[in-house]
Amino acid sequence: MNNSLLYYSVGALLYCPANKKTIADSIINNRFGTKYSLALCLEDTIRDDCVTEAEHILVSTLQQLDAAAEKKTFYLPKIFVRVRNATQIIRLHGAFGRSAQLVRGYILPKFSPENAEKYIQALIHVNETSTEPVYAMPIYENPCIIDLRSRYEILYLLKEKLDQVEDRILNIRVGGNDLCHAFGFRRHDDESIHQIRPVANIFSDIITVYGMDYVVSGPVWEYYHSRNWEKGLYHEIADDRLCGFVGKTVIYPSQISVVNEAYKVSENDYRDAAAILNWDQTSHSLVSGSEGGRMNEYKTHSRWALRTLFMAEYFGVKTY
């Protein structure tokens, strides 16, 4: 579903292990800024024998945030929990109690035909018991989508399943590092993942299958303190945008501002998008030139214009 600002507003999604005890204090004191979303991870970042402890810490974190929000004003990001399985969604949502209202949704790792139906049924269940909408963000990173002989069948099968709960699927996410791992690839800080053709082709197929109906978010950028990390991140986001992605998974607070700046809409794009969506419907012509020196055509560019205005509303417009 991509016809509402909500689906464009995940933005920079900061990943954090759910067992990090200082996360609540960092949020309450606005150490990460005031424009990001947060993923509290119980999966790959947590050792298998430490999951129970991490769940207890996660519950405590949400309770701290809930209590602090009653006493002071601070930026409370959209919070998502990355789970290990569907059963964990139902169990945790009950364990959160009142603090469940702070959880905007759940991230579904390794989304595949084997677990999709269980995840969807868990999502339906928690929505039936919640006063506020609970969303999901499936991650396409399972090696099952690598095999060319079955990739299209799997992608369309999973889309059919998600379409049952389309309005509750906030974003489709892609696991760049997991897919690179399957091949033994790793990009450097001056390279874009879109240069890795086997992985980029998978991304292209995901956009082809899902991009007309869902917002698809860009893969994680793993550099944050290397020589070219910032320049490389801007480069990859430029490729992300051109290929149809909106938003980015990040792993370090300094990456957040780069994502927010890189996704700002240019003034020319903003003006053209506004003009297209405000076209005089009584006009005999549905095409005209723009100030930026390009052709605007209502029937051809209206979907682009709507996406552009949603992105401008969330990320802002460049003023230079």
Side-chain angles (χ1 to χ4, degrees):
M1 194 156 187
N2 58 14
N3 61 354
S4 167
L5 176 64
L6 174 66
Y7 300 92
Y8 292 82
S9 65
V10 177
L13 178 65
L14 177 64
Y15 259 65
C16 178
N19 61 356
K20 191 175 179 66
K21 295 181 179 180
T22 60
I23 189 68
D25 184 66
S26 295
I27 295 171
I28 293 166
N29 290 288
N30 289 327
R31 293 198 179 100
F32 302 146
T34 58
K35 198 169 192 177
Y36 68 98
S37 298
L38 180 69
L40 296 173
C41 181
L42 289 165
E43 201 225 3
D44 286 348
T45 62
I46 304 296
R47 239 174 45 201
D48 292 349
D49 60 344
C50 295
V51 175
T52 300
E53 178 189 21
E55 289 181 352
H56 291 316
I57 294 171
L58 171 60
V59 171
S60 175
T61 294
L62 294 174
Q63 290 173 343
Q64 291 176 60
L65 291 172
D66 193 19
E70 292 285 312
K71 300 175 182 177
K72 63 180 290 187
T73 300
F74 57 93
Y75 176 76
L76 193 58
K78 294 180 180 68
I79 296 176
F80 302 91
V81 177
R82 175 169 168 146
V83 295
R84 290 181 164 227
N85 52 60
T87 303
Q88 200 175 31
I89 293 176
I90 297 173
R91 181 165 48 78
L92 283 176
H93 208 75
F96 293 152
R98 192 188 108 131
S99 302
Q101 65 184 329
L102 301 183
V103 177
R104 187 60 64 97
Y106 294 89
I107 297 171
L108 317 179
K110 314 295 189 294
F111 195 64
S112 71
E114 287 69 37
N115 58 32
E117 190 60 35
K118 291 180 181 179
Y119 274 133
I120 289 169
Q121 291 307 313
L123 179 64
I124 292 172
H125 176 81
V126 295
N127 271 284
E128 288 174 345
T129 60
S130 301
T131 57
E132 296 294 326
V134 180
Y135 297 91
M137 297 196 292
I139 309 180
Y140 285 67
E141 58 188 349
N142 193 297
C144 71
I145 61 175
I146 292 175
D147 193 327
L148 289 169
R149 294 166 297 182
S150 56
R151 181 187 301 167
Y152 297 160
E153 180 182 348
I154 290 172
L155 290 177
Y156 280 107
L157 171 66
L158 293 176
K159 184 177 186 295
E160 288 175 8
K161 291 182 177 296
L162 289 181
D163 286 349
Q164 302 173 55
V165 287
E166 182 181 349
D167 64 331
R168 291 292 185 266
I169 305 302
L170 204 56
N171 284 178
I172 302 294
R173 309 198 75 84
V174 295
N177 283 354
D178 281 71
L179 293 173
C180 283
H181 169 69
F183 292 100
F185 298 157
R186 191 176 195 181
R187 66 199 184 280
H188 295 101
D189 65 0
D190 60 350
E191 298 169 330
S192 165
I193 199 169
H194 298 278
Q195 296 172 256
I196 305 175
R197 296 311 309 168
V199 175
N201 288 341
I202 297 172
F203 290 170
S204 178
D205 290 339
I206 292 171
I207 290 287
T208 300
V209 175
Y210 293 87
M212 289 186 287
D213 300 312
Y214 296 90
V215 172
V216 186
S217 180
V220 66
W221 179 256
E222 60 184 336
Y223 294 96
Y224 58 91
H225 196 56
S226 63
R227 180 178 178 182
N228 298 301
W229 78 265
E230 189 170 351
K231 182 179 178 181
L233 179 52
Y234 273 115
H235 176 202
E236 184 163 291
I237 291 175
D239 288 346
D240 285 348
R241 292 186 64 170
L242 190 60
C243 293
F245 293 100
V246 178
K248 194 78 167 167
T249 299
V250 300
I251 56 165
Y252 204 74
S254 61
Q255 297 174 328
I256 294 171
S257 61
V258 176
V259 173
N260 288 331
E261 181 63 27
Y263 268 99
K264 284 184 178 179
V265 172
S266 72
E267 286 192 41
N268 282 343
D269 280 356
Y270 179 77
R271 284 197 297 266
D272 282 359
I276 290 166
L277 293 184
N278 288 289
W279 207 285
D280 181 1
Q281 298 299 307
T282 65
S283 172
H284 294 292
S285 176
L286 294 178
V287 60
S288 70
S290 75
E291 293 180 12
R294 62 184 174 184
M295 180 187 74
N296 285 335
E297 188 173 357
Y298 177 77
K299 288 186 176 180
T300 302
H301 298 125
S302 57
R303 292 195 70 173
W304 166 85
L306 184 62
R307 284 169 58 91
T308 299
L309 291 187
F310 282 141
M311 290 173 63
E313 187 170 351
Y314 180 75
F315 292 105
V317 178
K318 293 180 182 177
T319 57
Y320 53 88

